[in-house]
Every structure is written in structure tokens, then in C-alpha cells.
Amino acid sequence: MAKKQQKEKSIEETLWESANKLRGSVEPSEYKHVVLSLIFLKYAYDRFLERRNELIADHQEVFVDQPVFYNAKNVFYLNEISRWDYLMENAKQNDIAIKIDTALTQVEKDNPSLKGALPSNYYSGLGLDRTKLASLLDVIGKIDTQKDKEHDLIGRVYEYFLGKFAIAEGKGKGEYYTPKTIVNLIAEMIQPYRGKIYDPCCGSGGMFVQSMKFIEAHHGNRKETFPFMDRNIPTPLTSWQR
């Protein structure tokens, strides 16, 4: 009998297994903080590279290092030391944790809208094993964020990690975040076609994501509810700081 084809692991499962190798240096409750900032850097780099290539294709190479030409398209500008390819080139260096912290600090400097949203000197204080951190970078480096059509990769991973931690603690997922089915129901009830959405307990940003999905499903104008958002912006960055 032919062997049953193995089910392909989801991004969330793969990341959890990779983060779980950090056990001993980092508690399971901390995995999400270790992983999400790195995913953000990869996500931001992919969008940055896409925009940079657009400028080059339009014969505007002279502007490729000017932040305004990225921010105008709601893309974060990345200095060389904040780019994913730079981090991967240095992944096996002893000071890779410091380089990650420096990258996050530089992103905030180059993009004022991110001020206070990213962790400060976080990785260098964890004392992570260099080879295990390099392995995690490797896993994240293989994620194709361009396939994330719903632009909710960060929120999905955040919720998955919360759920896994809840199970490990013998608790229900609902104690850590509002289940998607309930968020969907709320979005259907409030019908957010216009006005402002206020979510004082913004965790994974699911309320914003589901509200946008509702608007698109009902052919509404998302600019009336999300005038500041663009399809290149991921789930609210503050979500993993809570």
C-alpha cells in the first residue's frame, strides 16, 4: 500500500516548532515576542524590496534610498542594516542578537509612524544560543509573505502562539484572545461600512482585519472606515507588545 502523503505543516506550526527549540533560554509564553518582531522585519523587507524594484523599473533609481518614496506608498523604508538579507548574511555571527536589535531601532528612526511600536534592546538581553537563533532566522527567511493575500500573517501567528501556550497551561484559547468566530459575528452585527472602529483591547488586531474583510465582501469603500490603511500594512504592530 502506498504511503499516505504527509500533511504539509502550516507556517504557524513550523514557527512554533522552531521557537520551541529555544526552550531553556525562553519560556513558551515569550515565544511570540521572539518570533513576531523577526516576522515583521521579513514582511517589511519583502514590501520594501517590491517597492524598490518598482522604482528601478520606472527608471527612478535616484530615489531608491529616499524614505519618502516608500512611505508615500505605505511601505516602510529600510536602511541597509535593517534589511533581511543583511541579517541573514550575519546570522551565524556571535553578535546577531545585537544586530537584530539595531535593525529594529533603525526601522523606527527611519519611519516615525513606528515610534514606540517595536521592542528596544530585546534580543541582546535574552542570551539566546546563537545557532538556535540562526536556525529561527532560517525558517522565517523561507516564508513567502507575498502569498499572505489577507495581510494577516502577524495576527495569525500571534493567535496561534497564544493558543498553543494556553493549551500548555491547561487553559482555553478564549482566555487569551477573542475567537475568530465571535469577531466575525461582531463585524456582521456592527456592519462597519463607515465611521471609526475602536478596539480598546486590540490584541492580534483581528477586529480590524475582520471588519475590512466584511467591507470587501459587501463591496463597501474601505477608505471610509480605514482611510489610513493600505494593503501593504500588516496587522497593527502594537498587537504583539501586549
Side-chain angles (χ1 to χ4, degrees):
M1 192 194 299
K3 259 191 175 181
K4 200 173 181 180
Q5 192 174 6
Q6 260 192 339
K7 184 185 172 186
E8 190 178 348
K9 289 179 185 174
S10 67
I11 290 173
E12 295 93 326
E13 287 176 300
T14 304
L15 285 171
W16 176 267
E17 287 179 8
S18 187
N20 210 27
K21 292 175 184 175
L22 302 174
R23 188 184 287 271
S25 302
V26 180
E27 292 297 316
S29 60
E30 194 74 11
Y31 289 172
K32 60 184 180 296
H33 297 296
V34 177
V35 170
L36 291 175
S37 292
L38 295 177
I39 290 179
F40 165 71
L41 284 173
K42 175 64 166 61
Y43 190 107
Y45 175 70
D46 288 347
R47 297 301 177 277
F48 166 82
L49 201 58
E50 183 180 33
R51 176 60 181 149
R52 184 184 177 89
N53 289 337
E54 281 177 7
L55 290 170
I56 293 171
D58 290 341
H59 308 291
Q60 299 184 62
E61 293 93 336
V62 68
F63 303 126
V64 294
D65 289 318
Q66 295 189 28
V68 66
F69 284 87
Y70 294 86
N71 299 158
K73 295 287 185 178
N74 287 319
V75 175
F76 299 125
Y77 174 76
L78 301 180
N79 189 288
E80 186 178 346
I81 61 171
S82 299
R83 297 173 193 171
W84 189 259
D85 58 350
Y86 173 80
L87 293 177
M88 290 305 298
E89 284 170 14
N90 292 277
K92 292 180 169 56
Q93 299 299 316
N94 290 326
D95 64 344
I96 183 58
I98 295 173
K99 281 184 166 61
I100 294 170
D101 282 334
T102 303
L104 290 166
T105 299
Q106 190 63 47
V107 175
E108 282 199 4
K109 283 182 182 176
D110 293 329
N111 303 275
S113 63
L114 287 175
K115 188 175 181 182
L118 303 175
S120 177
N121 297 320
Y122 175 70
Y123 289 87
S124 52
L126 288 175
L128 295 174
D129 180 276
R130 175 179 55 80
T131 56
K132 290 179 180 178
L133 183 53
S135 175
L136 179 58
L137 285 167
D138 250 353
V139 171
I140 293 173
K142 292 172 184 171
I143 296 175
D144 182 1
T145 65
Q146 303 289 2
K147 288 183 178 178
D148 180 33
K149 301 301 180 187
E150 295 179 353
H151 298 281
D152 190 29
L153 176 62
I154 292 175
R156 275 171 36 211
V157 173
Y158 180 81
E159 289 187 352
Y160 183 85
F161 274 47
L162 284 179
K164 290 289 284 186
F165 175 64
I167 291 170
E169 292 289 298
K171 298 179 180 179
K173 298 177 187 178
E175 293 183 45
Y176 289 89
Y177 66 91
T178 308
K180 193 168 287 186
T181 51
I182 294 177
V183 178
N184 287 345
L185 176 61
I186 294 172
E188 291 286 339
M189 290 174 69
I190 65 174
Q191 299 183 356
Y193 288 112
R194 60 184 57 85
K196 292 181 181 178
I197 294 172
Y198 175 58
D199 184 0
C201 301
C202 174
S204 64
M207 188 68 218
F208 300 107
V209 173
Q210 294 307 321
S211 293
M212 183 170 285
K213 285 181 182 177
F214 173 89
I215 293 168
E216 291 178 343
H218 293 81
H219 309 291
N221 183 355
R222 65 188 182 89
K223 289 184 179 178
E224 290 188 14
T225 307
F226 300 96
F228 56 89
M229 289 191 77
D230 182 87
R231 292 180 183 274
N232 284 330
I233 298 179
T235 300
L237 301 176
T238 52
S239 64
W240 74 75
Q241 296 303 306
R242 296 174 183 275

